[in-house]
Amino acid sequence: MNDNLYALFESRFPADRSACCIETHTGQYYSWNDLHHATAKIANLLTSLNLPAGSRIAAHVEKSPEALMLYLATIRAGYVYLPLNIAYRAAEIDYFLKDAEPAVIVCSPGNFGWVAQSAFKSGTRHVFTLGEAHNGKNSGSLLQRAAHHADTFETAVKQPDDLAAILYTSGTTGRSKGAMLTHDNLASNAKVLQDYWQWQPGDVLLHSLPLFHIHGLFVAAHGALLNGSKMIFLPKFDSADVIKYLPRSTLFMGVPTYYVRLLADPSFNQEVCGNLRLFISGSAPLLTETFIDFRRRTGHTILERYGMTETAMLTSNPYAGERIGGTAGLPLPGVSVRVAKRDGVLCTAGGIGDIQVKGPNVFKGYWRMPGKTAEEFTPDGYFKTGDVGKFDAGGYLSIVGRSKDLIISGGYNVYPKEIESVIDEMAGVLESAVIGIPHPEFGEAVTAVIVSRPNAKISEAGIIASLKTKIANFKVPKRIFFLDDLPRNTMGKVQKNILREQYKNP
Ligand code: MLC
Ligand code: AMP
């Protein structure tokens, strides 16, 4: 018995492996055979590097079918996949490479110079490139080198508890933590979702999410791979492209911003969605208003689910039963979800408390942070999600807030502490507070409030321009405000609730 997740996917490939597995927006088709052979070639290349067992393979690449193949080849070869948001800049990549010490990093050809520098500083010996060439096909040294290797590969034997991937989640202290996910974490969650969302023969997934977070990689792509279903791959979310390909799809998944943007397009209507079986939303709260508008416009009821990097999916509205807007649905089969007060006493229906979870999907811990890992679990083994919620009498969970100081903008998490540290280092800044304020499209907009040093010559535009060179663009505050002092409570803690209230209608 091989518990390698790739072996599970292979066992679910369609009988006709010449069928289409991935179609791209540029009209390229990849069959299941192509997928199997390409992952074999890349797995052979990785194996030929004589890497130690458990080596991390980092990917900082644009979305493409080959990027998915790199992921699959990594787990097939028994290594650990480490995806990195393509928006990350040099200082962010430096941190991840130092912390995870990957043996290999694959980057976009255009970023080779600075990524290679970062790799050599941190001891990552192998740097390959993967990216789009002028002819619209993917190229780079990864594929060039892999081309010389055999297209068969015996999938490495793995135990359920072996690591498959490390995904970094930003930390409340400003230091990102690598969540270690095992083959069984991912396999168990994918199987549950296949069943719960009633994936069917003939399903076609329209895939427009990024591949470096669990939503696009584990929830969306795993679903299609496990079901032997075709994916239509878009390089990124774009309303016009999605509207173009929806009539040939049966399933669509996205963050709430995608649904807001689709509804803003007058050509998005019932006819466009005629072939759709299911629309799924997650990663951030879906406004009830969006849920209702979507139903009115398309006749479809969005299915909202809830999860996080450390745990994959936890709760979901039902496929067949009632989907209630503003709720994240019911605990998935095999997943135990409870709501507890600060003193540990469990809440009954209607009671608000911390959401804690347990199940085969819950991660193994934070990479090289045993102390932090221990802190995040209760003595009886429940993981503290940092989300605050309540169950209704029917067992539906609503997420009412977060105990972690986190902003979710367009489905990306931004930790204020990280941004504050970068701003505080800038000349002319005395101190800063970063908050999330409601935003019609992104859900929340990152916003900074700065106290400048006496006579400092700093401006909103200057700070924003400087931040863009230092941190990923989605983390850069949309607005910056200046105050003489930050409001503090008697303990000296900045009262962010006052700031949020003050700037909610900028
Ligand atoms: C891009 N921009 C954002 C942003 N994304 N600003 C705030 N929040 C975001 N999420 C800004 C850029 O900084 C840039 O600003 C401008 O928008 C154009 O950049 P872009 O890259 O062209 O934007 P666009 O392609 O339109 O991207 C927006 C988006 C994208 C919503 C399509 O952010 C996206 O795909 N989000 C999904 C994230 C996701 O997959 N989350 C799942 C995490 S897993 P400027 O000023 O430089 O022009 C998880 C667990 C779970 O949470 O439960 O699923
Ligand atoms: P990440 O750390 O990027 O995996 O983000 C996980 C966080 O996203 C969760 O802890 C929640 O705060 C949030 N999240 C995910 N799905 C939902 C949802 N349906 N409603 C509200 N918040 C969500």
Side-chain angles (χ1 to χ4, degrees):
M1 174 74 184
N2 186 356
D3 287 293
N4 190 312
L5 179 63
Y6 185 84
L8 172 67
F9 291 143
E10 193 191 346
S11 72
R12 305 291 190 86
F13 284 0
D16 177 9
R17 291 191 178 193
S18 66
C20 183
C21 167
I22 301 177
E23 176 188 337
T24 69
H25 70 299
T26 53
Q28 289 168 42
Y29 288 81
Y30 297 75
S31 68
W32 295 87
N33 270 329
D34 293 337
L35 182 90
H36 199 49
H37 293 151
T39 56
K41 280 174 176 281
I42 302 172
N44 277 315
L45 166 62
L46 295 176
T47 308
S48 74
L49 304 173
N50 291 320
L51 310 174
S55 287
R56 278 76 58 209
I57 311 296
H60 184 243
V61 293
E62 298 286 354
K63 178 177 174 181
S64 67
E66 287 77 8
L68 182 69
M69 289 170 187
L70 170 62
Y71 159 59
L72 292 171
T74 300
I75 56 169
R76 191 173 176 190
Y79 299 119
V80 179
Y81 191 62
L82 171 59
L84 296 166
N85 191 326
I86 190 68
Y88 291 149
R89 315 298 303 245
E92 291 157 316
I93 295 296
D94 275 351
Y95 172 79
F96 296 122
L97 297 192
K98 270 200 198 90
D99 194 60
E101 298 185 314
V104 175
I105 181 158
V106 183
C107 67
S108 297
N111 292 341
F112 179 78
W114 64 266
V115 173
Q117 250 182 27
S118 176
F120 292 122
K121 267 194 290 185
S122 62
T124 296
R125 286 186 40 225
H126 304 280
V127 184
F128 294 107
T129 57
L130 173 65
E132 201 167 293
H134 300 299
N135 59 7
K137 291 199 169 175
N138 258 324
S139 70
S141 59
L142 180 84
L143 299 180
Q144 281 158 14
R145 294 276 301 275
H148 300 290
H149 287 269
D151 67 0
T152 55
F153 183 85
E154 198 164 325
T155 300
V157 174
K158 287 281 140 185
Q159 302 301 318
D161 203 33
D162 285 337
L163 275 197
I166 297 179
L167 275 86
Y168 275 84
T169 72
S170 314
T172 36
T173 55
R175 244 191 99 196
S176 288
K177 303 164 288 182
M180 299 190 289
L181 292 154
T182 67
H183 285 261
D184 189 51
N185 288 152
L186 302 177
S188 64
N189 209 240
K191 284 191 220 161
V192 165
L193 294 179
Q194 185 194 23
D195 209 38
Y196 206 74
W197 294 339
Q198 297 187 24
W199 277 83
Q200 294 167 13
D203 266 337
V204 175
L205 173 73
L206 181 54
H207 194 300
S208 64
L209 283 154
L211 278 180
F212 38 70
H213 285 307
I214 66 158
H215 196 160
L217 191 57
F218 300 153
V219 188
H222 277 185
L225 291 166
L226 194 65
N227 202 53
S229 289
K230 172 176 156 176
M231 284 183 262
I232 299 177
F233 241 51
L234 302 181
K236 60 188 277 200
F237 176 86
D238 174 86
S239 315
D241 280 346
V242 168
I243 290 169
K244 178 172 164 198
Y245 287 100
L246 272 177
R248 296 207 281 121
S249 314
T250 65
L251 259 137
F252 180 78
M253 298 187 196
V255 300
T257 302
Y258 293 9
Y259 293 105
V260 172
R261 287 191 180 179
L262 284 171
L263 285 169
D265 190 319
S267 68
F268 181 64
N269 56 29
Q270 196 147 9
E271 204 185 328
V272 167
C273 304
N275 199 37
L276 263 288
R277 181 172 74 70
L278 186 58
F279 285 96
I280 301 175
S281 175
S283 305
L286 180 75
L287 292 182
T288 309
E289 183 191 321
T290 313
F291 176 85
I292 292 170
D293 287 353
F294 198 88
R295 184 148 61 189
R296 204 174 286 142
R297 178 90 71 89
T298 66
H300 283 275
T301 306
I302 298 175
L303 181 155
E304 185 171 4
R305 58 57 178 181
Y306 157 64
M308 58 192 302
T309 304
E310 290 91 332
T311 64
M313 295 303 101
L314 295 163
T315 69
S316 170
N317 273 278
Y319 182 72
E322 191 185 1
R323 298 176 198 162
I324 305 181
T327 82
L330 307 155
L332 288 166
V335 182
S336 173
V337 181
R338 69 187 190 188
V339 172
K341 292 195 206 127
R342 285 287 138 84
D343 57 8
V345 175
L346 295 189
C347 298
T348 49
I352 294 179
D354 295 328
I355 302 173
Q356 302 177 346
V357 300
K358 195 181 204 173
N361 49 311
V362 175
F363 75 140
K364 204 171 171 170
Y366 293 113
W367 171 253
R368 292 180 179 162
M369 287 187 182
K372 187 76 198 152
T373 303
E375 269 174 36
E376 300 301 330
F377 281 86
T378 63
D380 60 345
Y382 277 74
F383 176 65
K384 303 177 198 166
T385 62
D387 294 310
V388 175
K390 64 172 182 191
F391 279 113
D392 70 11
Y396 284 68
L397 182 73
S398 297
I399 293 144
V400 300
R402 303 173 203 126
S403 58
K404 49 195 176 192
D405 190 12
L406 162 71
I407 300 167
I408 305 184
S409 171
Y412 286 140
N413 289 5
V414 181
Y415 274 88
K417 182 82 189 129
E418 181 192 344
I419 318 303
E420 288 161 6
S421 320
V422 181
I423 295 178
D424 290 352
E425 274 180 18
M426 292 181 167
V429 174
L430 187 63
E431 61 172 347
S432 64
V434 169
I435 51 172
I437 58 169
H439 187 278
E441 195 183 340
F442 291 124
E444 290 177 280
V446 179
T447 304
V449 184
I450 293 181
V451 179
S452 38
R453 291 185 184 281
N455 305 320
K457 296 225 166 7
I458 51 175
S459 65
E460 178 174 17
I463 298 271
I464 288 180
S466 173
L467 283 172
K468 282 190 176 177
T469 65
K470 295 181 165 68
I471 52 175
N473 57 9
F474 65 88
K475 298 180 189 171
V476 175
K478 300 283 180 225
R479 288 296 315 268
I480 294 194
F481 299 99
F482 293 92
L483 274 186
D484 291 340
D485 290 297
L486 295 177
R488 292 181 188 278
N489 64 15
T490 46
M491 309 288 287
K493 197 168 181 293
V494 176
Q495 291 171 301
K496 289 197 171 177
N497 51 335
I498 293 181
L499 294 175
R500 276 191 285 265
E501 190 55 32
Q502 187 171 345
Y503 294 108
K504 73 179 179 201
N505 301 310

